[in-house]
Amino acid sequence: MTRRLIAALTFTGLAVSLSGCGALGGAPTAEVGECLNMENLQEAEVDEIPTVECGEEHDGQVVHTFDMPDGDYPSDEEWQTAIEQGCIEGFEDYVGSSYDDSTIALRDLSPTAESWDAGDRAVLCIGYLEDSTSTESFRGSKV
């Protein structure tokens, strides 16, 4: 099972995969509000998304999740549209400010074609600080 981070708007994409997984339940995931360190997502292959308490230093947080509709694996343009609608809107609701006005950047963790074929439709929207860390949640921070 694999998942990938894809580029959208000013997002920086990178591949994240789960190797050796035999069931959809093994796809790496995290819940809205969970904090993490982006360096843990920099490897080409990961088997989990390590989270930390938001009171500990971190530079990322899951700000929204949504499921893509069933159907054929989306084209790059379809991914772009879905992420603009899903992640940007979810980000703004979670952080409490416009994405364009925020100092928090966005990345998405989305299904690869392989995990899509196994039924994976979940997209994680991850807000992150590019040059700093925080010991607080991004929820309602308006930064």
Side-chain angles (χ1 to χ4, degrees):
M1 193 78 48
T2 54
R3 315 242 325 142
R4 69 181 182 148
L5 234 26
I6 62 174
L9 297 176
T10 58
F11 301 10
T12 304
L14 64 107
V16 177
S17 70
L18 175 64
S19 57
C21 115
L24 179 60
T29 189
E31 300 295 321
V32 171
E34 289 190 296
C35 295
L36 52 97
N37 287 301
M38 296 302 290
E39 69 183 17
N40 294 327
L41 300 180
Q42 299 303 314
E43 298 296 321
E45 294 187 13
V46 296
D47 60 1
E48 66 180 317
I49 301 171
T51 60
V52 299
E53 293 295 323
C54 291
E56 295 178 29
E57 276 200 48
H58 63 279
D59 60 0
Q61 186 170 7
V62 179
V63 297
H64 186 66
T65 63
F66 66 94
D67 289 332
M68 293 289 291
D70 287 336
D72 293 334
Y73 187 73
S75 68
D76 288 345
E77 184 176 298
E78 291 168 325
W79 275 121
Q80 179 82 16
T81 299
I83 289 167
E84 285 176 12
Q85 292 173 352
C87 286
I88 299 290
E89 290 174 14
F91 172 93
E92 291 175 349
D93 288 344
Y94 190 84
V95 174
S97 69
S98 163
Y99 176 67
D100 291 335
D101 295 334
S102 180
T103 59
I104 301 170
L106 266 173
R107 287 190 178 174
D108 68 288
L109 183 60
S110 301
T112 63
E114 178 186 45
S115 66
W116 186 272
D117 289 343
D120 184 11
R121 300 294 184 269
V123 176
L124 300 178
C125 307
I126 302 170
Y128 69 99
L129 302 169
E130 294 182 282
D131 298 317
S132 63
T133 60
S134 177
T135 55
E136 297 179 6
S137 172
F138 299 160
R139 184 184 307 260
S141 65
K142 298 183 181 182
V143 295

